[in-house]
Amino acid sequence: DIAGNISQTEVITVNSSNIAPSFSVSCDINATGLVSNESPILSYPAFLSDLSVGPENEQNQTYTLDVEIAINGDPSSVITNLEINHDGDLTLEINSASNGVATLIATMQDSGDGNNTTQHQFNVYHFEDLSLDPGLPIDIIFINGMDICR
């Protein structure tokens, strides 16, 4: 310019980011003694809770929830059917004659680009035959990192 000042233009590129959604899983589930052939359905309202698509600037995003049996996660066919709704309510149909553990994976995906999926794993236990370890109370058998829902 005329006064002898030097000017310079710089281009700054700002890339948008997407924070992964988040949620909490209530607990592992011990279905032992809670189901029968006549009544194999268990329901857990708000089993997936604290559902969030991210910070305030991402609240316009939508999300989906899914729960599925992990690969090789139910070798004894503990679960015959499962459903999760948009509010995180979980419904399970348990094989009342089963003995074993089903490993499930809950997934939340938001509609943003990039980092948009979060997963948590949990277990469903059912032992029709308690003679597998008759010396221990049933809740002691299932101690792991999560609380147990009954």
Side-chain angles (χ1 to χ4, degrees):
D1 78 8
I2 297 177
N5 294 327
I6 300 174
S7 66
Q8 183 177 349
T9 303
E10 292 189 33
V11 176
I12 298 174
T13 302
V14 178
N15 294 322
S16 64
S17 65
N18 182 44
I19 304 300
S22 63
F23 65 97
S24 298
V25 174
S26 297
C27 53
D28 281 349
I29 297 172
N30 177 5
T32 301
L34 299 181
V35 294
S36 66
N37 285 334
E38 296 79 31
S39 183
I41 306 294
L42 294 177
S43 295
Y44 294 91
F47 183 78
L48 303 182
S49 59
D50 304 321
L51 306 171
S52 173
V53 293
E56 189 173 322
N57 65 334
E58 295 181 9
Q59 294 305 305
N60 63 336
Q61 294 180 14
T62 58
Y63 67 89
T64 57
L65 293 173
D66 184 45
V67 174
E68 59 187 31
I69 296 172
I71 296 173
N72 299 320
D74 191 7
S76 62
S77 299
V78 170
I79 297 175
T80 57
N81 192 23
L82 59 99
E83 294 179 17
I84 191 82
N85 70 14
H86 196 260
D87 295 325
D89 302 335
L90 178 66
T91 302
L92 300 169
E93 184 172 350
I94 305 293
N95 174 1
S96 62
S98 65
N99 289 296
V101 179
T103 300
L104 283 75
I105 297 174
T107 303
M108 182 176 187
Q109 181 172 1
D110 69 29
S111 59
D113 291 331
N115 187 16
N116 67 343
T117 303
T118 298
Q119 293 185 324
H120 291 291
Q121 182 175 304
F122 64 98
N123 297 303
V124 176
Y125 304 93
H126 182 265
F127 287 92
E128 188 269 336
D129 182 2
L130 290 180
S131 66
L132 295 173
D133 193 340
L136 293 175
I138 196 67
D139 287 338
I140 303 266
I141 296 170
F142 307 120
I143 291 177
N144 68 8
M146 291 184 78
D147 293 331
I148 301 291
C149 289
R150 295 254 326 144

